[in-house]
Amino acid sequence: MMQPKNSLLDLSAIRARLENARGEEYWRSLDEVAQTAEFQAFVDNEFTPGTSEWKNPLGRRDLLKLLGASIAFAGLTACTKQPPEKIVPYVRAPEDMIPGKPMYFATAMTLGGYAAGVLVESHMGRPTKIEGNPEHPASLGATDAFAQASILTLYDPDRSQVVLRNGLISNWAAFLAEVGLLREGLLAKEGAGMRILTETVTSPTLAQQLKDLLAEFPEARWHQYEPAARDSAVGGAKLAFGEPVNTIHRIGQADVILSLDADFLASGPGSVRYAREFAARRREGGDRMNRLYIVEAAPSSTGSIADHRLPLRASDVEPFAWAVAAALGVAVPAPGSPAPSGWVEAVAADLKKHAGSSLVIAGDQQPVAVHALAHAINAALGNAGKTVVYTEPVEAAPVEQGESMRQLAEDMRAGRVETLVIIGGNPVYNAPADCEFRQGLLKVKRRIRLGLYDDETSGLCHWHLAETHYLEGWGDARAFDGTVTIQQPLIAPLYGGKSAHEVLAVLSGKGELAGHDIIKEYWRGRLGEAGFEKTWKTALHDGLIAGTAVAPKNVSVRKDFAAALPAPKGQEGMELCLRPDPTIWDGRFANNGWLQELPKPLTKLTWDNTVLISPATAERLGVANGQVLELRRAGRTVRGAAWILPGHAENSATVHLGYGRTRGGKIAEGPGFSAYPLRTSDAPWGGGGLAVSKTGATYKLACTQDHHSMEGRDLVREATVDEYRKDPHFAQHVVHGPVKELSLYKEFKYEGHSWGMAVDLNACTGCNACVVACQAENNIPVVGKTEVARGREMQWIRIDRYFKGGLDDPEVCHQPMMCHHCDHAPCEVVCPTGATNHSSEGLNQMVYNRCVGTRYCSNNCPYKVRRFNFFLYSDWDTKSLEPMRNPDVTVRSRGVMEKCTYCVQRINSARIESEKEGRRIRDGEVVTACQAVCPTQAIVFGDMNDPNSRVAKLKKDPLNYGILDELNTKPRTTYLARLRNPNPELKKG
Amino acid sequence: MEAEQRQDPGAAAVAATRAGEVPVIGPGHTYASVTGKISEIVLTTKTPRGWIIGFAISFLLTMMLLFTIASLLVKGVGLWGINIPVGWGFDIINFVWWIGIGHAGTLISAILLLLRQEWRTSINRFAEAMTLFAVACAGLYPLMHMGRPWLGYWLLPYPNTMGTWPQPRSPLVWDVFAVSTYATVSLLFWFVGLIPDLATLRDRTKSRPLRVVYGMLSMGWRGSAIHWQRYETAYLLLAGLATPLVVSVHTVVSFDFAIGIIPGWHTTVFPPYFVAGAIFAGFAMVLTLAIPLRKFYRLEDFITMRHIDNMGKILLATGLIVGYGYLMETFMAWYSGSQYEQYMISNRMNGPYQGYYWALIFCNILTPQLLWFSRFRRNLLALWLISLVVGVGMWLERFVIIVVSLHRDFLPSSWGMYHGTKYDWSMYIGTIGFFLALMFLFIRVLPMISIFEMRTLVPEPDGKAKH
Amino acid sequence: MERRRLYGVIAQFESPGDLLAAAQRAYAEGYRKMDAYTPMPIHGLAEAIGFRRNYLPLLVLIGGLFGCGAAYLMLWSIETIIYPLNVGGKPFNSWPAFIPITFETTVLFAALAAVFGMLALNGLPMPYHPVFNVPSFALASNDRFFLCIEAKDPKFDYEATRKFLESQHSREVSDVEL
């Protein structure tokens, strides 16, 4: 049935493979030992006549099993797929695996090209959990929600698993052959008509490979495009300094921060670090406490923690910036400010008062002018070099990607493009509408695509190559400050994918190189032969190459920059405001169930994007939640459900990108609507002239929190810094609880350890990282939109979001809510089987296999933090998900109650360690998943019996209070009241 | 047969004097006529068409119940509308509703017996049967409402290899004991009451197989004076035991809520007002069944207007107690000064479920006020309609207590809504069908009125001695 | 021989009054081994034929006490000895929480004692009894009242006893065959 194309066998590769083969490998044929795709195909075909209709999920699963079978047949003995090369464990523990004991490896995940260092927990060669890398500047030990969820993408059964040629299963060798011919053609005409489209590139190796390729084909062009690229940052810097520079904020140094529509605590490069620094200053309270002003259209996580938030239409932020700049003596004309009178003056005065320790940050979605003005203001305030630092660009080629894409599209439509290689991205889905990328693409003779999913773009390409996940392939990337991390794979490609490096090697005629060799060789050249092996090993171990941060750079704002600024164009009528989605970003995470089911920080909606409008605007339009609106802008229309968001700017509609996917996975296809049709290259983040009309249709949305008011209950307690100075114990004086000592019977004593948790409401930005971390750590299932809509979501932590004050400009509070492990637990008393009871260390523990599912405990829980398996929610069938699960945590079955356990499995592993060394568990040795991931360190867990533990100290803090204390439930999870630091000059706040 | 020739003219008068204005048994009855009339309903060979139709319908509904239970076992309780925060819905609502209905039987048999209310005689038998069947329906719910019903036996205390036991602080375990005890005692009470009548059937039936069956069931009862003596002692003691039992059962059921800390549950008034509510609902159901039965089987002589009237009065009295309960709930919520309690009440009255609350007030408080007037107490149709309204009202009461309290408790962030799904309804209607099916079978094969107790109401014929 | 095959002589009455009178007279005559059969309980009848002691209440008391003790003992031992658990910070021996179960079990055992005690003392079930041989005895569960003087009675004399019974306004007197 198969004709081995031995001509195509890469013998050198086979030799290489046989050399670094560990142990004996028996092999039957050259194809087999070379692991050529023919061999795979052979095994597939031999055992599955049916794999041709691979589109239906079942078929795909079969294929998976058979891939497994094929490996077994190929004589590989390992049941887990360790990469053949040597990767270096992070921990000092012996490098050979101890069964049941996880190992940690350092690598980095990139988003928008920028790296965030992570440590990956690996059980017997199976990566199961992402943690932050404490030594990495962009992580400091924490991560964002995306990194937490990336583990699910790795095991996603919908990921593309084969090489496709015109939609039919082909193989790598066939592609190699094609490229061979292709190169002959290209060499002839110096690569004319050849284009490469990538996303933002910070990888030095990839940059080098592209450079070499372009050197070989001088006529070829390299384009970059991704929807959430930071074009304005690049453009703004060019405008202000005449050259592209990278901007790094020193949030920790800033006393007063003005954010011009910048969600810098929750998204964008370095946001995790920024959040940490911000919270650190916040926590200090008193005089050291920083103050944050923000002007933005749709409330963001950053906006929710700001001391002063001014809802302004995105297009009004620029005039506001002009006004502030003028007020601070920057030589610019001052137009009328859209802010209420006194605002600009007060902010400007405050900034001036803290000249040198203040900071103005411009949002990535704001036009270049705002960035230029921000630079100018910072310069005028003398912040440059103190709270804001400029460096060489981190991106390999900082271009304005919208423009780059526009050119490519133009050339394609003009037929100037013969060969297009698309590395990652998904332009067919997310290119600006006016580029008409699809039409252009169809004019291209040869379209080659490397992608994680067989998505919209792959559907239109001749060749689709399965890409490796970042945990599967070698690579390198730079962080927001330029620090380089070598990405080492945790597992061999599950679906035999290829990395961008490997594909580029092929394109540049180097044949089939292993990603590892490409990266290593590049850095050998870069770092020099001397002691390289050692450096390399250290780099892999630490998860970064020391001293690769880009150097600071002295730049000064051009005198005449103001002249070059495009005049702010006022906007009439409604304004459209496009933003990357807080949970699925630009759509790349659309097939990730954890992120889809993650409630959006402000709206608490899951599985959908909506048209966000302010209450007043909703009244004017006569719209209610869930009513379908038709949005028309620049002659293009989309339809989406309305959602009323208090605090949104008037006459403005915010729509998140990334939904409405039509291809690329069972989960991705379906939910929400795509806003990309409204995206034009001249207004990538929306603009004026939006026409909104009602369609009369309604759409069911799944929201996890229907009620937004606190009903005057003292759940989130807060005060201004001044009130705090007057009465530090205000939080405890709000409610008169029962006298703790009064009891009819004697209390249980908790000798030994007594676990407890403190959550700092002053630091929580509602970023959701803890929710996903908990989901990953504790094998929490995804239930789907309909079940969420019925109030059956399963996340063990939920982040309660309350609005305070007026509808139009409310204050927002976040309150992480998980099991409080009450000492007088109401749930325990009513359990008929004793399936939930108290441990000797104070844990409220669930005995799953004793639970009969009466739900009485949940009814009687005043915090409603228990979750019930109404159906069999855990996926017991999908093979590819099995290795992902945390082996230390039960996978729950139908009819069982579950809830936060304080990560008891982590407590126990720490206990084992401590008992081996015959000592108490040290403070900080047990770190719950939510605590570990929290960028602002808002969650602290520990032993309350140890007077020196952080948690014990926090419990003594005057701000510490327990909610519903008056019920005498004696919760072990308590909260630190929130402080606000308003500017006395401004009435509100 | 031959007894019929000896009609006693004085009988009616005697009965009347004994029973006050309206007699508890129609005029002109003798031992034989009572025996004959009641046993005939069972022993007749021709089944009434009405019975066949009624049974067929209720049997189909029973099949629907079985289907629902099967799907619940296969798919899970997620088929219902329950969620977090509303973890209990129709399941526990209907459980409490049925248990409540089940209270009238024992109450009539036991408490009225102790109070020497002889008018109870003609209604206690099927009231007891009603109790049994209602408890059977009620029992289905706690079992099926579990996430893993096949492990229901874990609530029973038995030594096992896991060394685990039920957790006796949980009101659900109390329920298990209370309800199973109640079911057992009610069954014994009912059966003991049946023994002499089974003997009567044994002696009167013309078919041999039936004689064998009734013979076995009657255990060779021959009416010996000494047996009667012990029999009456036992019956009296059972009544004495069943009286506190019947009170305790609904008290325990009310603990399911009173023990909880949820506003709207955590209330000390619950035990008495649940018991009153149970009697209220129970008598309503007795009327709902008695009035048509009386008509269909022409039992006007045995279930006289006096019975009807008395039951109407009891309905009124218990209705007023229940009303007092509602009043106290509201008062305490205000008096407690707890913002959660106060919100709970205002949420009942003005919240998303206010319709249920006001309907409940209409059904349970306003409607029964009609019973102040004997005009309504003695109008069969009116009384029957009122009893139906009360039945609905008591269901609404449980809905308000369970769902409306749960859906908005302490943290507004966790608030939600609850709606019954088609599986909720099919289970509810299914149990009603099951209940009726059992009821139909009962009136067909067993005397629905206690024959021997009716005999005691017959005026004594003057024997030869007087001549 | 027919004498030995005789269980007793039985008289049938039409009203409870006649029966009661006859029973009292028979007792006065010195008859002791006799029994009356009626379709419903008749007050004073049992005493009339010399029934004195009724042990049933005692049995019920014992049953109740047993249930009470057993239940509390079980709960107490489960929660303090067999498998003590910290449940919501409540003491192991949460006696108030044990009361409902203890109460229910008390009632249960008392009731069982009442019913099965009654049956046992009455010697039921008893499928066969000689009086069933009397054809008209079927009316004992309908509207007739019977008094049976047994052959075992020392004062029993077939002729005399028969005469005595006939003299008691009985409707008919018949032999009860063994």
Side-chain angles (χ1 to χ4, degrees), chain C residues 68-170:
Chain C
C68 178
Y72 194 91
L73 189 70
M74 176 188 75
L75 298 175
W76 174 82
S77 54
I78 290 175
E79 289 301 306
T80 58
I81 299 168
I82 303 177
Y83 207 140
L85 276 176
N86 175 353
V87 171
K90 300 254 188 293
F92 292 137
N93 179 21
S94 317
W95 63 265
F98 299 165
I99 288 173
I101 292 176
T102 311
F103 173 81
E104 302 296 340
T105 321
T106 310
V107 173
L108 179 64
F109 279 85
L112 292 173
V115 174
F116 292 103
M118 179 271 286
L119 292 178
L121 292 174
N122 285 353
L124 297 175
M126 185 186 286
Y128 169 78
H129 192 279
V131 291
F132 288 122
N133 297 337
V134 180
S136 68
F137 188 76
L139 295 173
S141 68
N142 181 355
D143 63 345
R144 291 286 190 272
F145 306 80
F146 294 83
L147 178 67
C148 173
I149 298 178
E150 293 164 25
K152 291 205 233 69
D153 190 285
K155 201 167 171 306
F156 181 83
D157 170 87
Y158 181 67
E159 304 304 332
T161 310
R162 227 190 133 85
K163 245 178 214 62
F164 167 74
L165 285 175
E166 278 158 359
S167 70
Q168 298 304 318
H169 311 288
S170 56

Side-chain angles (χ1 to χ4, degrees), chain C residues 36-50:
Chain C
Y37 303 93
T38 59
M40 76 262 201
I42 289 165
H43 289 285
L45 185 58
E47 289 76 1
I49 57 170

Side-chain angles (χ1 to χ4, degrees), chain A residues 704-715 787 790-793 798 800-802 815 817 826 828-834 848-856 858-873 893-897 963-964 966-967 969, chain B residues 72-89 91 145-152 154-155 158 160 162 164-173 255-257 259-262 265 339-340 343-344 406 408-417 421:
Chain A
T704 60
Q705 185 180 344
D706 308 329
H707 205 85
H708 307 318
S709 146
M710 229 179 305
E711 293 294 337
R713 305 178 175 185
D714 307 294
L715 308 175
E787 287 297 290
R790 297 173 76 179
R792 297 172 176 181
E793 64 273 11
R798 63 172 197 266
D800 293 350
R801 184 266 300 105
Y802 297 109
Q815 184 171 45
M817 187 58 62
E828 295 174 3
V829 180
V830 298
C831 175
T833 56
Y848 298 127
N849 54 3
R850 179 67 176 164
C851 176
V852 297
T854 67
R855 300 180 299 286
Y856 199 173
S858 169
N859 289 344
N860 210 33
C861 171
Y863 310 95
K864 288 288 174 287
V865 289
R866 291 177 156 261
R867 298 285 175 259
F868 186 67
N869 291 275
F870 290 92
F871 290 119
L872 184 59
Y873 287 138
S893 187
R894 179 188 124 196
V896 174
M897 190 62 72
I963 66 172
L964 301 183
E966 62 269 36
L967 297 176
T969 51
Chain B
L72 282 168
L73 289 172
V74 173
K75 296 211 182 67
V77 286
L79 293 175
W80 288 338
I82 45 176
N83 56 30
I84 310 290
V86 186
W88 287 346
D91 44 9
H145 99 291
M146 286 192 283
R148 308 198 286 173
W150 48 91
L151 298 180
W154 282 3
L155 272 69
Y158 66 100
N160 56 65
M162 294 181 288
T164 52
W165 297 84
Q167 199 278 100
R169 291 172 197 79
S170 166
L172 286 186
V173 179
F255 283 161
D256 287 349
F257 310 104
I259 292 292
I261 61 169
I262 301 302
W265 283 16
Q339 60 174 336
Y340 304 112
Y343 182 87
M344 176 272 295
L406 281 175
R408 289 187 172 179
D409 60 350
F410 293 97
L411 302 193
S413 59
S414 65
W415 291 358
M417 292 295 284
T421 64

